[in-house]
Amino acid sequence: MTTPTGNPGRLPVAVIVGATSKWQPDGRNTMFVHGTTIGDDMPPETRWGLGGALAQRFAREGHHVVLTTRRRANAEGLATALEASGGSCSVVELDVGVAQSVSATFASIREDVGDPDVLIYNAGYMAGRELPEDQELLEHFPTELFEVALATACRGPFLVAKEVLPAMRRRGRGSILFSNNQYSLRGRKRSTGESLYYPRTMMRAFAQALTEEYSAHGVHVANVVVDGFIDSPGTRALPRFQEQPELLIDPSRIAEAFHYLHQQDRSCWTHELQVTAAAGPVSV
C-alpha cells in the first residue's frame, strides 16, 4: 500500500468540515457585529471556536487533521498553532454546496493523506442575519439567501457523506458526526439578527436516516445539538455574555463530547447528543 505523501506516519485521518469560526477574531460574524477584529489574545482552546477546538482535540489524540475552509487564509493561524503543539494537519479549501468542489477536495484528501476515519461536519452560515427588522417575515426573505442555507445545511452534508461513506463501509468502521444547533429540534420563526435555521432540521433528519442505513456497516453517525452560544472572541464580547459569561459553552468541552462519540464501543452507540450550559435553558 502506498503511503500518502501528506501523512507519512499513516495517522488516522480526521476531517473537520468548517474548521474555522465566523466568531473567531476576524470572522464574518465578529466583523459584522463588532466592526473590528477582537480576541487575538484569547487562548487557543477558544480562539477559533468549535472548529478549532475539534481540530486540537483530535490532533492531540494522534490524528492527522484536515482543516477545510472556504478560504485557506482563514485557517492559517489554527494550522500554525496545531503544528507548534506537535500536531499533524493540512488545510484545504472547500465549498460544501458545490458538488465539483466537494468531489475534487475529497479526491485530493484521499490521495494526500488517506481515507478519513472520522468526518465532522461543522459548516455554518449567516444567511439572513443582516436583514433589518422590517424584513423579519418569510415573504421578505431573499431566495438567494435561502439557497445559501440549503446548500450548507442540506446539500453539503449529503455531498460530503457520499464521499466518505464507501471507504468507511468497506472497512467496517468510521464516524460521521454532525455539529448542529437547537434550531434543528423543531421549526422556529426567524427573528431579526438571526440566520434562517429551519434547514438544519433536515440535517438532523439526514443524520437519523444515515444511522438506519449505515450502523449495520460499522459506521457511527450522530447529530450533536449545541444548545446555546459557543465561547469565542466574537460571542464573548457581546453585551449579553459580558454580563452572563456562564451562559457560554466552552468549545473544548464540546470537542470532548465529539471525541467521546468517536471512541464509543459499537455495542452502545449514541446517535444524538444535546449539550447545554448549566446556566442556560434547555431547548426542546
Side-chain angles (χ1 to χ4, degrees), residues 99-110:
Q100 296 90 332
S101 174
V102 173
S103 60
T105 296
F106 276 87
S108 174
I109 290 171
R110 287 190 292 268

Side-chain angles (χ1 to χ4, degrees), residues 131-142 189-192 196 198:
L131 297 178
E133 187 174 0
D134 61 0
Q135 293 187 38
E136 190 170 273
L137 293 176
L138 174 66
E139 64 199 69
H140 303 300
F141 198 88
K189 64 164 288 189
R190 188 194 71 85
S191 298
T192 300
L196 189 74
Y198 47 76

Side-chain angles (χ1 to χ4, degrees), residues 182-190 197-202 204 284:
Q182 66 269 35
Y183 297 95
S184 69
L185 298 175
R186 67 175 182 86
R188 291 178 169 86
K189 64 164 288 189
R190 188 194 71 85
Y197 281 130
Y198 47 76
R200 283 186 170 271
T201 62
M202 178 62 180
R204 184 190 188 209
V284 293

Side-chain angles (χ1 to χ4, degrees), residues 216-244:
H217 298 286
V219 183
H220 185 188
V221 182
N223 181 63
V224 180
V225 179
V226 181
D227 185 10
F229 276 81
I230 299 168
D231 192 9
S232 57
T235 54
R236 187 181 291 193
L238 293 169
R240 176 187 179 189
F241 300 118
Q242 289 283 297
E243 297 174 2
Q244 293 182 284

Side-chain angles (χ1 to χ4, degrees), residues 3 10 23 28 33 42 79 91 108 139 147 192 209 232 257 283:
T3 301
R10 290 187 178 177
W23 290 105
R28 289 178 62 198
V33 173
M42 286 183 67
V91 180
S108 174
E139 64 199 69
E147 293 293 341
T192 300
S232 57
S283 298

